[in-house]
Amino acid sequence: MNVFNEFKKIVNVEIEDMVASGDLPSGLDLSRIAVEPPRDPSHGDLSTNAAMVLAKPAGRKPRDIADLLAARLATRDEVMGAEVAGPGFVNLRLASSVWYARLAEALRAGPAYGDSALGVGKRVNVEYVSANPTGPLHVGHARGAVVGDALAALLEKAGYAVDREYYINDAGAQVDQLAASAFLRYLEALGEPATDETFARFCPGQEWAYRGDYLVPVGQALAAAEGERLRDLAPEDWLPPVRAFAIAAMMDLIREDLDSLGIRHALFSSERALVEAGRVDEALADLEVRGFVYTGVLEPPKGKAPEDWEPRPQTLFRSTEFGDDVDRPLKKSDGSWTYFASDIAYHFDKYKRGFADMIDVWGADHGGYVKRMKAAVQAITGGEGALDVKLCQMVNLLEDGQPAKMSKRAGTFVTLREVVDRVGKDVVRFMMVTRKNDAQLDFDLIKVTEQSLENPVFYVQYGHARAHSALRNAAETFPDLDSGREALAEADLGGLTDPDELGLIKLIAGWPRQVELAAEAHEPHRLAFYLGDLVSAFHSLWSRGNKETDLRFILPEDPSLTAARLALVRGVALVIASGLAVFGVEPVEEMR
RNA sequence: GCGCCCGUAGCUCAGCAGGAUAGAGCACCAGAUUCCUAAUCUGGGGGUCGCAGGUUCGAGUCCUGCCGGGCGCGCCA
């Protein structure tokens, strides 16, 4: 239960009652009324702007409305105090019993605590990674992979039915180059040297684009499977089978990489399959019927005119109808569809599969593509579909402040696998969501393995481990005490009266709200910051026990209060675990 | 030249769909360990929220224009 939403309902009821009794005119717009935690906790537990929002339309002074509203709210059992402050805020102070009930609810819910009904009945498709099948994933992909996966988990927690999807770009010129590069390794396995000369001889007109070692085993496997059969075929004959073989091998590689991060997509969609099934033609025919396709000539980009620019008629999508800057080409000069065209078909396909809500997670270098894709989704779904694009900025990989070295194996980049093997999956997963997706991220391979405050992963994990340490110690002091969450939910929590204890309970009570806010904004990073705040408050309370021994969690002389304190400790632990679960990070119960 | 993203403390960044006196970590200074894990905690200094207008009860947040940085800009994906 989200306390703030509950009180928003209560405020609305009171407002409607004030309308009924003539204190307010009818027909007011209540949508802008917010019930939020005040920034300054000394202002109380909840705050509403209702009086200020309604003042103008009601033709009354904000303070007057606030006074009436506060008086009404003050009569409720859960409300200990209702004050009018500032320009017309109504600040509420809630009875401790309200907070105890939230803690008990958290304990009963366990890992499901924070689950929301926000998205119940709604389907959303999250497409992420979608790296070209031309090699292993690199660190840049890790961010999109983790952000997409965390976003999917977050939306699931908020009640949405989520599909995780990967779009395989296996239809363009890049995969032909992959095939050629793999063919060279095949020849190498048969005894030819892998040189530019060999490549030029066997793959005329192609470019040896993928030189990394990772294609060597692919060549060997090809040789083992096909023998020398492919060797003397014409390029147009060996290319399709080699391409299919290489793509399959690359996707296996990528799936293994994703698996090392614990990421499993529900569906891998193939661009080539889409094209070969005629779905691009269908989608574009549909778009044409809707009147968004025409033949025209584009202006050259100002200030950056390509050398070989010449105006020529093209098949264009009228994306300017939907806010794009220019109309976008759908066909190449050889008559085949552009990548954009097949991407339109792909998003149309997702829509037809039942996903009106789509989220794509892309690298920032695709930023120039966002407007046209959103425009296309608008056009092809007749305004029914909605696409949100999350752009992930670069990850600066560092080693103790210096740029990290390149990978030998992959040729030009640091692979995701190297990083995961070195620092661990949980560190990678957590660090990637400690920043907004659209802000650049420094990832220091040294610092993330240090055990310090600079390392948010350890800070949060330590909080979880400490909580479990207290629970273990309690079991020794009180062998008969049941510290399971169901039992603790029944404990008398009335002894939790210290402001820091109540503050911690309020943080726990705020978890469902955090989940909903983060889900609505499509911003999983917010939960990472929330976890930091929660753990900080817990560490702080723990430390107070050093000096103020009556504040310790385990009180050998007082089993009843100990039970209440353990309820709090377990509540903290389960919210941490619940949050880490969204990130796919394993909470640890012991760190020594 | 155009579009998108970013600009908040010395550094790295939060800022909860416009709310009250703008926060955290690092770094710096000063403290806490016969203690349930000091991998932690407490206190202190430090700000023209890039600049200038605008919208309104109220702007770091929204709009416009500049400045600075990143990304992108017809038949690459």
Side-chain angles (χ1 to χ4, degrees):
Chain A
M1 170 177 133
N2 182 331
V3 185
F4 301 91
N5 285 351
E6 292 303 310
F7 268 84
K8 186 174 177 188
K9 288 180 198 161
I10 290 171
V11 167
N12 280 350
V13 167
E14 295 293 355
I15 298 286
E16 280 160 17
D17 205 44
M18 287 166 71
V19 171
S21 63
D23 288 329
L24 289 173
S26 58
L28 292 171
D29 173 17
L30 306 186
S31 66
R32 288 182 58 225
I33 295 176
V35 176
E36 302 174 317
R39 280 207 176 148
D40 184 344
S42 71
H43 288 137
D45 298 317
L46 305 177
S47 177
T48 180
N49 62 354
M52 290 167 323
V53 171
L54 299 178
K56 197 169 204 177
R60 301 196 56 171
K61 290 179 186 166
R63 299 278 309 200
D64 293 347
I65 299 174
D67 284 336
L68 291 169
L69 180 60
R72 285 170 170 273
L73 290 168
T75 63
R76 304 190 72 94
D77 287 345
E78 318 92 291
V79 176
M80 293 296 285
E83 291 165 13
V84 179
F89 290 101
V90 177
N91 295 329
L92 301 180
R93 213 169 292 274
L94 303 187
S96 296
S97 59
V98 173
W99 301 113
Y100 298 150
R102 298 282 70 71
L103 176 55
E105 176 197 317
L107 290 165
R108 286 191 198 98
Y113 180 57
D115 286 6
S116 166
L118 189 71
V120 166
K122 295 178 198 157
R123 299 182 72 193
V124 58
N125 183 292
V126 184
E127 181 212 323
Y128 57 110
V129 189
S130 297
N132 293 332
T134 54
L137 298 179
H138 56 77
V139 282
H141 293 125
R143 187 167 190 188
V146 170
V147 167
D149 207 49
L151 181 54
L154 169 62
L155 291 169
E156 280 173 340
K157 193 165 181 61
Y160 292 87
V162 181
D163 259 31
R164 294 164 164 83
E165 193 155 333
Y166 185 122
Y167 184 50
I168 310 171
N169 300 132
D170 53 2
Q174 291 186 10
V175 285
D176 288 349
Q177 290 179 351
L178 172 76
S181 300
F183 191 69
L184 182 69
R185 295 301 185 180
Y186 161 76
L187 298 172
E188 184 182 39
L190 296 180
E192 296 278 351
T195 63
D196 288 297
E197 287 78 1
T198 311
F199 187 89
R201 183 149 50 90
F202 285 90
C203 312
Q206 294 265 33
E207 187 194 339
W208 185 13
Y210 303 104
R211 296 175 176 240
D213 293 345
Y214 59 87
L215 284 176
V216 171
V218 176
Q220 289 166 348
L222 259 176
E226 303 284 350
E228 302 201 353
R229 190 179 72 80
L230 301 175
R231 182 187 184 123
D232 299 315
L233 293 181
E236 61 268 30
D237 292 324
W238 60 253
L239 194 135
V242 170
R243 183 175 61 203
F245 190 92
I247 290 171
M250 292 304 101
M251 286 312 297
D252 284 346
L253 208 58
I254 288 170
R255 265 187 278 259
E256 283 172 30
D257 286 348
L258 290 172
D259 208 49
S260 75
L261 276 176
I263 291 173
R264 301 255 169 85
H265 290 80
L267 185 63
F268 288 78
S269 285
S270 158
E271 180 189 4
R272 180 171 294 276
L274 209 63
V275 173
E276 289 177 353
R279 310 301 290 277
V280 182
D281 302 276
E282 286 173 29
L284 272 291
D286 192 295
L287 207 54
E288 191 153 16
V289 168
R290 293 170 187 269
F292 297 122
V293 179
Y294 71 103
T295 301
V297 179
L298 290 177
E299 295 289 316
K302 289 199 168 62
K304 198 224 168 228
E307 306 260 321
D308 59 345
W309 177 273
E310 48 183 272
R312 68 172 53 124
Q314 291 174 290
T315 303
L316 298 172
F317 165 55
R318 213 178 283 283
S319 52
T320 46
E321 291 257 330
F322 303 92
D324 200 0
D325 312 297
V326 292
D327 293 334
R328 305 291 180 176
L330 295 167
K331 272 188 182 174
K332 303 180 194 174
S333 53
D334 67 2
S336 64
W337 295 114
T338 60
Y339 175 77
F340 178 46
S342 58
D343 221 2
I344 293 175
Y346 175 49
H347 283 81
F348 191 36
D349 182 63
K350 286 196 259 192
Y351 175 71
K352 285 190 292 189
R353 280 188 274 131
F355 297 105
D357 277 324
M358 302 172 233
I359 302 174
D360 289 356
V361 180
W362 296 346
D365 54 341
H366 290 59
Y369 203 75
V370 174
K371 277 188 183 178
R372 82 188 66 170
M373 200 64 243
K374 286 189 171 183
V377 168
Q378 283 295 302
I380 197 119
T381 66
E384 299 284 315
L387 171 68
D388 186 20
V389 180
K390 308 301 284 184
L391 294 178
C392 291
Q393 275 289 349
M394 273 178 49
V395 175
N396 298 316
L397 199 63
L398 305 171
E399 280 185 280
D400 218 15
Q402 301 300 312
K405 302 184 292 290
M406 297 303 181
S407 158
K408 290 188 199 119
R409 191 174 91 84
T412 55
F413 50 77
V414 179
T415 63
L416 180 148
R417 188 61 75 83
E418 284 173 286
V419 176
V420 172
D421 287 348
R422 183 157 159 191
V423 305
K425 136 179 126 58
D426 285 354
V427 168
V428 173
R429 293 202 61 138
F430 195 88
M431 288 303 297
M432 291 296 170
V433 288
T434 53
R435 291 280 177 271
K436 272 187 302 214
N437 57 281
D438 50 12
Q440 289 193 21
L441 170 70
D442 287 343
F443 188 99
D444 195 310
L445 292 165
I446 305 296
K447 283 185 180 158
V448 297
T449 51
E450 283 172 359
Q451 300 174 345
S452 74
L453 275 178
E454 276 196 81
N455 183 347
V457 190
F458 276 86
Y459 186 74
V460 171
Q461 289 283 31
Y462 182 43
H464 188 262
R466 257 188 159 179
H468 278 272
S469 170
L471 292 165
R472 283 191 297 271
N473 286 322
E476 284 192 17
T477 308
F478 298 105
D480 299 330
L481 180 69
D482 184 350
S483 64
R485 47 185 186 78
E486 292 85 358
L488 291 174
E490 305 302 324
D492 175 10
L493 303 175
L496 302 175
T497 54
D498 187 273
D500 283 355
E501 290 176 325
L502 284 166
L504 201 46
I505 298 174
K506 289 171 189 176
L507 275 171
I508 291 171
W511 172 237
R513 177 172 185 268
Q514 295 295 333
V515 171
E516 291 183 352
L517 288 173
E520 281 183 317
H522 297 171
E523 290 184 350
H525 78 277
R526 292 189 192 191
L527 300 186
F529 284 90
Y530 165 84
L531 287 183
D533 290 344
L534 175 72
V535 169
S536 173
F538 178 60
H539 283 316
S540 179
L541 181 59
W542 180 297
S543 297
R544 280 187 64 197
N546 290 340
K547 278 280 167 56
E548 305 166 58
T549 52
D550 57 334
L551 264 182
R552 291 186 187 173
F553 303 128
I554 300 164
L555 304 165
E557 308 303 317
D558 193 341
S560 169
L561 187 51
T562 297
R565 297 251 165 96
L566 291 181
L568 179 54
V569 170
R570 196 171 275 289
V572 169
L574 77 85
V575 173
I576 295 172
S578 174
L580 290 180
V582 171
F583 300 139
V585 173
E586 204 71 38
V588 299
E589 299 194 354
E590 197 168 5
M591 302 170 80
R592 281 285 186 184

